Amino acid sequence: FSWSPFSDRKTVIRGGFGLIYSNGISAAFGDQNGAISGPAYANYVGYPGDRTFQTPAFKLSAGAPPANLPPLDAVKQNDNQFLGTVVGAFLRGGKDPYVTQWSFYIQRELPGNTALSVGYVGTHGMHLYGDEFRNYDYVPTAVRQKLRYNLNNNVLSDPAIGSIYGCLPDPSQPSKDDCPGFLVMKPYPQYAGVTPNTQPDGFNRYNSFQTKLEKRYSHGVNFILAYTIQKDLESPNTGSIIGNTATPTTLNRTVGRASFIPGAISGGVGNFAGGGAAAQDPDNRRADTALAPDDIPQILNMVVTYELPFGNGKPFLNRGGLVDKATGGWKLTQNWNFQSGVPMSFSGPCNGVTCRPNLIGDPSRGRASKSRQQKENQWWDPSAFEAPFGSDPVVIQGITTGFYPDGKPFDYNSDIYWTFGTAGLRPPTGRAPGYWNADFTLAKNLQFSESRYFQFRWEVFNVFNHQNLGIPNSYWCLPRNGSTDDVVHRFGCSFGQITNVQTDPRAMEFGIKFYW
């Protein structure tokens, strides 16, 4: 809607709402998508006469498929043709992915051919695709944390499973085999893995305040100044490559943002900086709802075009002739882009369930007082993190050597070794360096007639040759504490060090075009 509430019609209130659905996965994979419902293997071969591709070939929970299936491998013609293998499929999503968008703007015409626009834009995506292929054949988290390394102990199992993995038969029970618990307690132990294309269960929430000041061309000048404050949250792995490629609705970072964004994400490294990251606990994915890998809190863009005041009709050098031809008609265009850094995910020494560290402070602490070289050597404060098993030197030695200082064996089944890290998927204070850049263009038209002219362009990219700091090393560790390494203190630890840049050096190019 659009409404002008005052008689001068210089103020306009605008709003909009959109609901956008996508069947991108079906478009990408054709009739194979949706081939199964629930835990079943995709009948992508199809039973004779069945061309719907919707009939399950067999149930995973029922064990190996019968031999009357259309053979996928001419060599395997028996009932065990799938045992011990990794099976995959396409899960039918319960609902199509969709994104809801809304916006509300107030626009006002100002003196000097300028206009100011202030507004709020938001999006909410549901049933978005995340993991390309997710493994469903694993020991549940609650069981892992309860049994811990006791999962390696042998338990009685069906001999059909034991025969696949070479488990030893139990002499006291000939009908049973002794197989390790981590194998038997999987939901589908007869397979090496079950990794179907997962159903869409991702989501995102994006909110932004956007303002734009625009001056139409007059007196030789026009400009656009756009500023955005925003926040983008999403479920784990919603920003994965296949999800973004196959379903346009998951490309939430371009939806509803400022209309003019010359630079993409922090010099084009945003998706690689934050990266897609899986949930720490596969049975509690919502616990890792976090900032999106391309969340940029603040973006400022400015484009200015200025017609230089020389030549015919201008204040200076307006005498005509060759002087006017040489100095008149030049336009200088400036493109400025400033962006905050993207959030990072962190890893480090592992325990029994995770490699994510604990967050115990502010990673950006003390950065403002550092020189550029100090920032390159240590972008984040290492003391803001600790290993998921804590920072007790006694525990660290026990995990490293297997023995406490008093000689007692370390208990790898202790509680401290089976807790999840507290850092979160992408901590808000754990951002990569920001980004700014300026590109200039100087252009002139040499007119022969109204429709025929040459255009000369001199373009300078990164005109100030400013090198934005690149992506810091995000594997948390500490420098060696003494002459030997342990699981935390490492020789050559490079946590927080920056060894690259986000922008190319200054570059120029000249061009001539003829228009007719």
Side-chain angles (χ1 to χ4, degrees), residues 429-445:
T429 54
R431 292 184 177 273
Y435 167 89
W436 73 266
N437 185 58
D439 301 326
F440 285 8
T441 298
L442 187 63
K444 175 181 173 62
N445 292 340

Side-chain angles (χ1 to χ4, degrees), residues 42-57:
N43 178 25
Y44 59 85
V45 177
Y47 287 109
D50 176 13
R51 292 296 177 263
T52 66
F53 298 95
Q54 300 295 308
T55 305

Side-chain angles (χ1 to χ4, degrees), residues 72-146:
L72 302 182
D73 187 336
V75 178
K76 298 180 178 179
Q77 297 291 337
N78 54 59
D79 287 354
N80 295 329
Q81 57 181 330
F82 291 112
L83 288 177
T85 65
V86 177
V87 295
F90 293 100
L91 284 177
R92 179 189 302 174
K95 295 183 179 180
D96 287 330
Y98 70 87
V99 170
T100 305
Q101 303 179 6
W102 56 92
S103 64
F104 181 83
Y105 282 96
I106 300 176
Q107 298 172 319
R108 176 67 181 178
E109 182 182 342
L110 303 175
N113 293 314
T114 59
L116 177 65
S117 174
V118 178
Y120 162 67
V121 175
T123 69
H124 182 41
M126 290 294 293
H127 307 291
L128 306 180
Y129 279 87
D131 304 345
E132 290 95 320
F133 293 92
R134 186 184 304 170
N135 182 26
Y136 285 82
D137 194 21
Y138 62 89
V139 178
T141 303
V143 176
R144 283 193 299 149
Q145 288 190 302
K146 181 178 180 180

Side-chain angles (χ1 to χ4, degrees), residues 98 124-129 200-205 232-236 238 252 285-286 288-290:
Y98 70 87
H124 182 41
M126 290 294 293
H127 307 291
L128 306 180
Y129 279 87
D201 58 2
F203 69 91
N204 91 289
R205 293 192 299 270
D232 192 7
L233 297 172
E234 68 177 31
S235 53
T238 302
N252 52 71
R285 297 176 58 81
R286 292 299 176 95
D288 274 328
T289 298

